[in-house]
Amino acid sequence: EFRRVLFRSYAISLFQDENGNGKLDTAVFGIPTEKYGFSNDAQGVMGPPSYDKCSFTFSGDTTLVIHLK
């Protein structure tokens, strides 16, 4: 199904749910045990990156590559 997306600023976070439990699994101190990524391949310090680091402007044909870590 196609949905209209407005031209504005967005940020994406995603993870690969390897065991299908619907959540990002973590180990001690909240360190992810499943692959994850953010738009702009942004990285955070002791947690997820800020919206500003992840944000991008959608302006029509936009292609993003997000590398999972």
Side-chain angles (χ1 to χ4, degrees):
E1 176 180 338
F2 176 78
R3 293 190 184 247
R4 183 179 210 146
V5 178
L6 300 175
F7 294 178
R8 59 173 61 162
S9 179
Y10 292 90
I12 297 173
S13 66
L14 54 92
F15 68 94
Q16 183 176 2
D17 188 9
E18 296 171 353
N19 60 5
N21 67 352
K23 65 179 187 172
L24 175 63
D25 294 321
T26 59
V28 179
F29 303 114
I31 298 170
T33 58
E34 296 178 308
K35 294 180 180 183
Y36 64 93
F38 301 95
S39 45
N40 297 331
D41 281 335
Q43 294 184 5
V45 178
M46 300 298 291
S50 68
Y51 178 85
D52 289 338
K53 287 184 179 180
C54 298
S55 66
F56 62 95
T57 302
F58 174 76
S59 58
D61 290 336
T62 301
T63 301
L64 295 177
V65 175
I66 299 174
H67 297 96
L68 298 179
K69 297 167 183 68

